[in-house]
Amino acid sequence: MAAMLSFSPHLSNTQTPRNDQNPHNFLPYSQHIPPAKTTNRKPTPISCFSNSSESSSKRDDIWEKKKEGFVDYDKGKYRVTTQLSGLGKDDIPKRYRLRVDGDPRQRDWKISEVVERILKLKHWEDIEGVLNRWAGRFARKNFPVLVREITQAGSLEHGVQVFRWMKNQKNYCARNDIYNMMIRLHARHNRVDQARGLFFEMQEWRCKPDAETYNALINAHGRAGQWRWAMNIMDDMLRAAIPPSRSTYNNLINACGSAGHWKEALIVCKKMTDNGVGPDLVTHNIVLSAFKTGAQYSKALSYFELMKGTKIRHDTVTLNIVIHCLVKLGRYEEAVDVFNSMREKRAECRPDIVTFTSIIHAYSVCGQIENCKAVFDVMLAEGFKPNIVTFNALIGAYASHGMHEDALGVFNLLKGSGFRPDVVSYTSLLNAYGRSGRPEKARNIFDMMKRNSWKPNLVSYNALIDAYGSEGLLDEAVQVFREMERDGIQPNIVTICTLLAACGRCDQRVKIETILSAADSRGIKLNTVAYNSAIGSYLSVGEFDKALSLYRCMREKGAKPDSVTFNVLISGSCKMGKYGESLKFLEEMIDLKIPLSKEVYSSAIYAYSKQGQLAEAESIFTMMKSVSCSPDVITYTTMMHAYSAAENWEKAFALFQDMEMNDIQPDSIACSSLMKAFNRGSQPARVLLLAELMREKSIAFNEASIFEMISACSMLRDWRTTIELIEKVEPSFLELSLGLLNQLLHFLGKSGKVESMMKLFFKIVASGVEINFGTYSILLKNLLAAGKWRKYIEVLNWMEDSGIQPSLEMYRKVFSHACKDNSTEYTALIQEKIGVPHRAGIAAQG
């Protein structure tokens, strides 16, 4: 059974209305009760009406919205709508009523029914045909209500056509409220010129603009970012002797603030106070938003503190802006504290979907990805339905760390929640695959975006270029660059920086100049970040002179170098062995009063140590501590390298202890540096003790640490520890360099463990590691030293079988051993290899 329910506080459901008040001829509720045994019955509507002795034209409730519900109990469906009656056929003048009765096409629709029918039509269909069949068009009072309902629906094209039809009616009278609603509708769609046209049109119809008109027009220009026009309209309003209201000032402040002109917004706010119009909560939120848009995050927080001293209490919007500013300033803990205070049971400002989205972004920026998902789950548990911005924030969080599987899971969840992924969704997922080193999958997502009728934007193309460039696929990255321009997307400075960084990874020195030329031809002015990328790319391919020339060009064109610039120059010079030049860059950086970063300190320490200037390196390290720039594990490791080069293991060890006291966890590189210092200082036992410490702290052994441990065992002649070490590293032979494996073979052979050496050799061959000439040389040398000359000759045969030709010296060394044992078979074979005549061989035996 289905029922039509009508709810109104002014109506009673105990009496049946007159037929003229009941156009659908509904019966009273009691007459709709079905018999006890009825099958296949149709849904029966139920309606509740009131009995009124007054005519409907005099009723007060015809302009009030009422809830109506339709319930189908058999199918388990229901629908609730809001209905607005307005003036109907019985309320219009008699002459029009006779005209309506004489035309069977005329319908006595409610205003809500008219709006519903109009909105179902496409804007090019016959809207006027629907309106001309409506009996209520003869009542002038229906017009402003109709416009209000249409504009609240937000459909611009329908609103324009209804307004055009209305102006052609004989009983139409131009009114301010109708024009104000239409101006606001155009403002919502950023149709500024049309809104301004209505402003002049209403004056032609002799409608004098009022405060609401000017407010709507200021709002229209503010939405379009035309804040100067908004200011001029305010001046026109004052010249028209119309006092601005608080809404006027708020719209004007918002116009200035949304365009990033926070100073002008403050001037308007001061003028507002001077004119005796006090700010309200909306004003404060708009000012805070202006600070946020203008990237004045500290000022926004200061303003919020001043706001606390007023009687106006902040709301959720206020705290959302505060959280955003705290995140931008890197004060993540404070942002989370504000969020937690909002979630308290007695909190006045409860978090909304924007709050949760901001906190997800905050955790993403500070690298706490697991907390992003936790906040998302809390949001669902508290009954909030995530919107597409929230889903995109979570996808972006996973994408920033290359967690493509998690990002894909959220992407699928987004689609399962009824949302259609937008460009941001696809771009974030694309970025996730790019950062995880899967450019082919990134390309698939890019193509999927196009297939789903989304046009990739500049960020999408840059992400795909970076996906290819990060993996060294420069040609594919350049192809995307060309495709981008063919699609009408102009590259920006981020595109150029991404391509330049890819050139450095791919060792393409020619392409660097090509990309710089492309940027110049397209009018893209290089900024500091672009120059840093280009200089770094030149240094990575060994072009120091070109890097230096580009740095001078950067200074000439007014681009200010930053700490990254000098870090690239100093570290790049050190890698090329130009330690003197790197220290000159350090002096220039200090002269420019650019704060030294941790990377710069580390590079400077390394440069000084390479030049043997240990005192200067120590001075830089001390200066770093004095300026509250806490050394990290890289700085400590660099300083330990310096002490190791100076063979001062005591200071290196003291530095290692200082690092632990400052709660800086040493890594495998730091441990291997200290091991090297111990070995150089003839302290091999300390190397093995440090290895035990690494096991206790679960610090992975790298090649350098294994090499130093082997060297220590060699000095201690501790072959048992070496055998244990070999057994531990055996599963990772493929990950170790051949030089380290050769060192292990050499140590075993030198220790007289020839059989262990050969077993290790067989394991190395079985693991698939390619053996070189040096490996066989180590085997042959140690076999001959142990008197295993027959095994020596066998290894020579293996060597030839593997395609590596032994040297004549290798054959000559074993020839004398074969002659002493009178092994004619082997001597003849060796003679053939080294070209010694048979008689000379006999003489050698004698």
Side-chain angles (χ1 to χ4, degrees), residues 636-654:
Y636 275 106
T637 303
T638 308
M639 196 66 216
M640 279 192 286
H641 270 302
Y643 285 131
S644 176
E647 299 184 359
N648 193 334
W649 67 269
E650 292 92 347
K651 287 190 175 182
F653 184 49

Side-chain angles (χ1 to χ4, degrees), residues 86-89 92 100 106-109 111 114 131 133-143 165 171:
L87 298 177
K89 184 179 69 173
I92 61 178
V100 169
Q106 298 295 303
R107 295 291 183 269
D108 191 17
W109 292 321
I111 292 179
V114 176
L131 292 169
R133 294 169 59 197
W134 175 41
R137 71 184 185 278
F138 297 108
R140 182 186 300 172
K141 291 183 179 180
N142 281 336
F143 288 166
W165 168 86
N171 61 332

Side-chain angles (χ1 to χ4, degrees), residues 732-785:
S732 57
F733 275 165
L734 280 173
E735 300 175 6
L736 301 178
S737 67
L738 187 58
L740 178 59
L741 297 175
N742 288 345
Q743 177 71 9
L744 288 170
L745 292 170
H746 175 70
F747 173 73
L748 291 175
K750 188 178 178 181
S751 302
K753 308 296 178 182
V754 179
E755 293 183 2
S756 299
M757 178 188 72
M758 294 307 300
K759 287 180 181 179
L760 176 61
F761 173 74
F762 294 142
K763 290 178 180 179
I764 293 172
V765 173
S767 68
V769 177
E770 292 189 10
I771 308 301
N772 62 8
F773 186 86
T775 309
Y776 285 108
S777 299
I778 293 170
L779 294 178
L780 295 172
K781 180 180 178 180
N782 289 293
L783 286 171
L784 200 60

